Amino acid sequence: MESWFLNDWFISLSPIYQSLFGGLFTWGLTALGAAIVFFTRNVNQKVLDAMLGFAAGVMIAASFWSLLAPAIDMATAQGITAWLPAVTGFLMGGLFIRICDAYLPHLHLGFPMEEAEGIPTSWRRATLLVLAITLHNIPEGLAIGVLFGAAASGIEAAGGATVASAVVLAIGIGIQNFPEGTAVSVPLRREGVSVGKSFWYGQLSGVVEPISAVFGAAAVLLVQPILPYALAFAAGAMIYVVVEELIPESQLKGNTDIATLGTMLGFAIMMLLDVALG
């Protein structure tokens, strides 16, 4: 039985369309956050750092409550050694982002151009900033798609993956995408980029989410035995992004306490959403 907040029409959709709508929702909140730039070119650095910490907390909580725990339950239901898919998929997800990180040109928020990562390029700072956010939005979209695919797998009762839990994950990721959109557009505006371009680059980082969500759902529907591995893969990719990018960026300006409290709040809210609604 699905949760009270779900519409029958949405439940009746195929997981591909559910994933698409989930990804479009998270993209929309990224754009909404980027739209802050139309009203101000300055957001207090402490606020930005707290927002980045909040995003990190949401992703950490989602990685366990929405992805790793169902992966372990599904493995048990399939008669697989419970820890094997979780550990294997988790490490593969982190390795995937590490490889992307090594080759895709990008620049983390708050860092000078000299510290751009990936292969050398002449691309502009704005492009590299967007690519950095885009890189960590890929596992978020995958997570949404994989969970919707898992809900349609026929083993949701045993695995704990339902349409409701997938919707909750999309809501949580959407909430943390709002500050990410702001964290891209406002610094660009501060550096003299026009309002329109600052907004464009801010929302552009979220475009990849509906695409990767649909890909994730299609992959697990075609090859259902990979479900627990796919869930853990998305979790590993998200945790790698949190540790390598979000937490360092949130504390770069010295606002460590505020950023840490933001992380705690984000974790608590995502945990609340998942337990109460999922």
Side-chain angles (χ1 to χ4, degrees):
M1 182 175 180
E2 295 297 344
S3 294
W4 56 267
F5 60 91
L6 289 181
N7 184 283
D8 290 339
W9 170 82
F10 185 81
I11 295 174
S12 68
L13 293 175
S14 78
I16 298 294
Y17 283 109
Q18 291 172 342
S19 300
L20 177 62
F21 285 124
L24 289 173
F25 170 76
T26 59
W27 177 21
L29 285 186
T30 303
L32 195 62
I36 294 293
V37 78
F38 287 111
F39 304 99
T40 179
R41 64 186 298 165
N42 290 304
V43 174
N44 187 279
Q45 187 62 50
K46 290 183 179 180
V47 174
L48 281 177
D49 291 342
M51 292 165 79
L52 287 172
F54 179 88
V58 168
M59 291 178 70
I60 294 170
S63 295
F64 175 75
W65 294 100
S66 300
L67 299 170
L68 285 175
I72 294 169
D73 291 341
M74 282 182 185
T76 302
Q78 292 178 0
I80 306 171
T81 302
W83 57 265
L84 183 61
V87 172
T88 304
F90 184 83
L91 293 176
M92 288 177 62
L95 180 62
F96 169 75
I97 296 298
R98 174 66 189 98
I99 293 172
C100 293
D101 199 53
Y103 292 101
L104 180 69
H106 62 283
L107 177 67
H108 296 305
L109 294 170
F111 288 82
M113 280 292 289
E114 297 75 33
E115 296 190 33
E117 300 179 19
I119 59 175
T121 179
S122 59
W123 293 346
R124 293 180 300 175
R125 178 181 178 83
T127 303
L128 295 176
L129 286 170
V130 171
L131 285 174
I133 302 295
T134 301
L135 178 61
H136 90 234
N137 281 347
I138 292 174
E140 293 175 7
L142 282 175
I144 293 170
V146 167
L147 204 55
F148 274 117
S153 67
I155 58 172
E156 59 267 27
T162 63
V163 173
S165 63
V167 169
V168 167
L169 177 62
I171 291 172
I173 288 177
I175 290 172
Q176 63 95 33
N177 275 5
F178 181 91
E180 287 181 0
T182 304
V184 174
S185 64
V186 170
L188 288 176
R189 182 68 184 122
R190 270 199 224 135
E191 293 175 6
V193 179
S194 69
V195 172
K197 285 187 176 180
S198 296
F199 168 74
W200 172 256
Y201 285 124
Q203 64 82 34
L204 192 61
S205 62
V207 172
V208 71
E209 292 202 6
I211 299 171
S212 54
V214 169
F215 176 82
V220 298
L221 287 174
L222 290 173
V223 192
Q224 286 196 13
I226 72 168
L227 262 174
Y229 294 92
L231 287 166
F233 180 95
M238 288 173 68
I239 291 296
Y240 187 97
V241 166
V242 168
V243 177
E244 197 268 342
E245 182 178 340
L246 287 181
I247 289 178
E249 287 173 11
S250 70
Q251 302 192 3
L252 183 64
K253 304 297 184 181
N255 298 315
T256 56
D257 291 338
I258 292 174
T260 301
L261 289 172
T263 301
M264 297 289 291
L265 179 62
F267 186 98
I269 288 178
M270 185 64 213
M271 180 170 57
L272 171 65
L273 287 173
D274 204 290
V275 175
L277 301 180

